[in-house]
Amino acid sequence: YNTTAGDESSPGPSFWIESGEYLSQPSKSSLIIHATDVWGLLQNWQARRQITWTKDSFSVKEILIWLLSRIGIPLVVTSQSSVVTSFKPAFTIHPGESALAAVKRLLGTVPDVLLFREAVAYLKHPQSQDPTDYAYFLAPSSNQHPLLQGRYGENSWQPNWIQVWGTETPLIRVDRIQWDELERVYDRLHQVQDLNLNTVLLAQQRGDALLRKAEISSKLSQITVPTNCGQELWDVVEVNDSRAGFQAKKYRLVGLEVDFSPLRQRYQQKLSLGTP
């Protein structure tokens, strides 16, 4: 960035080198480096034995901290939901199960998400009222970020009805429904059974978390922009595209790809967007 505070930059994503190879071709010699990110490190770690947390002993956040520490990654909170600290489930990691699978199971119980900066994990709670982090413009002025092209779509919610079953005594059952979506495409039911849910509030929080993630995934859009060194996953961005007929339309950044090709003289980002 060239800002009033001077030139600022980002170190970009971090990778861990796993292997390398030399490629010899006519008039060309290359070194190919194969690397992985934090998700790959989590996939490579596997439990040597069964690891168990009893109910009401450790929160989802505390178990996440333990799992990330297996690969030397600390957890920092950007924002967090109440359930990630209050929900303390009985949780088991089976022998041979990867830390990645365990982390995904834990994140499936809360509305929070993870993102990574270098070798640090950040916990974030995406909420619909979050402020805009950045904006892109089809016809930018001198201090605005250009928008090269866009593709904007909207899908039906998958699912639009969450039915949560908890304990049997007392019997806990909660339904969370997005009625507008149900009327559009009929019901697309997803049922959850979890004996950790022994109160109506916990069941409601689980249903709301799953429905919120379905909402975020319902808008599958993508824009291409000149590379933005400060953009990261789960940011809220505004898109100003007069060709598509809208201004300051908000999206949630759910995917980010950098295309750097010196031979083609191309240095761009493709941003995958969901519901804010």
Side-chain angles (χ1 to χ4, degrees):
Y1 285 124
N2 180 259
T3 72
T4 54
D7 291 340
E8 298 180 308
S9 63
S10 164
S14 295
F15 298 91
W16 284 257
I17 296 175
E18 295 201 319
S19 63
E21 58 181 310
Y22 288 101
L23 182 62
S24 176
Q25 296 175 312
S27 304
K28 183 180 180 181
S29 180
S30 304
L31 171 63
I32 300 175
I33 297 174
H34 300 272
T36 190
D37 58 7
V38 176
W39 296 110
L41 298 180
L42 289 170
Q43 177 64 53
N44 291 335
W45 186 90
Q46 295 185 342
R48 282 72 165 170
R49 56 179 176 80
Q50 181 169 293
I51 305 167
T52 301
W53 289 264
T54 58
K55 182 172 172 54
D56 296 325
S57 59
F58 289 88
S59 68
V60 169
K61 178 183 173 182
E62 290 170 324
I63 300 174
L64 279 173
I65 290 172
W66 187 91
L67 282 165
L68 289 165
S69 70
R70 299 310 93 191
I71 58 170
I73 301 294
L75 180 67
V76 175
V77 174
T78 300
S79 61
Q80 63 183 12
S81 66
S82 60
V83 68
V84 79
T85 55
S86 63
F87 183 44
K88 299 180 178 181
F91 190 78
T92 298
I93 302 176
H94 303 285
E97 184 178 10
S98 71
L100 177 61
V103 166
K104 285 184 175 181
R105 284 198 288 125
L106 280 172
L107 291 176
T109 67
V110 295
D112 306 76
V113 296
L114 285 178
L115 61 103
F116 301 97
R117 299 174 193 155
E118 299 186 67
V120 178
Y122 289 83
L123 187 68
K124 187 168 186 176
H125 179 205
Q127 301 178 77
S128 58
Q129 67 268 27
D130 286 344
T132 299
D133 296 292
Y134 208 78
Y136 296 94
F137 299 83
L138 185 63
S141 63
S142 59
N143 62 343
Q144 295 174 335
H145 204 112
L147 167 68
L148 302 178
Q149 63 181 25
R151 178 170 52 84
Y152 312 102
E154 186 170 352
N155 288 348
S156 55
W157 290 30
Q158 300 283 353
N160 57 28
W161 177 3
I162 308 292
Q163 190 175 84
V164 183
W165 295 82
T167 57
E168 296 182 2
T169 308
L171 178 62
I172 302 295
R173 175 192 156 178
V174 166
D175 291 279
R176 290 313 220 204
I177 302 172
Q178 216 296 327
W179 289 104
D180 290 341
E181 283 292 314
L182 188 141
E183 291 176 355
R184 287 173 56 190
V185 295
Y186 203 57
D187 65 274
R188 294 179 177 177
L189 175 66
H190 176 66
Q191 292 180 309
V192 176
Q193 297 178 340
D194 188 347
L195 294 178
N196 287 302
L197 305 175
N198 58 359
T199 68
V200 172
L201 176 60
L202 285 174
Q204 290 173 339
Q205 290 173 332
R206 176 68 60 84
D208 290 340
L210 292 173
L211 209 57
R212 170 61 175 153
K213 290 181 177 180
E215 179 187 17
I216 291 175
S217 301
S218 66
K219 287 185 179 178
L220 297 179
S221 303
Q222 186 181 79
I223 59 174
T224 302
V225 299
T227 300
N228 180 354
C229 69
Q231 199 74 83
E232 64 183 356
L233 289 176
W234 307 112
D235 282 348
V236 175
V237 300
E238 284 185 358
V239 178
N240 297 270
D241 191 340
S242 57
R243 288 187 303 222
F246 56 73
Q247 298 292 321
K249 189 168 184 178
K250 294 177 69 173
Y251 290 93
R252 176 80 59 177
L253 182 59
V254 298
L256 189 153
E257 176 185 341
V258 177
D259 185 4
F260 176 48
S261 178
L263 294 178
R264 298 178 183 176
Q265 297 183 342
R266 185 167 60 200
Y267 190 34
Q268 297 176 346
Q269 275 182 337
K270 294 179 181 179
L271 307 182
S272 298
L273 308 173
T275 305

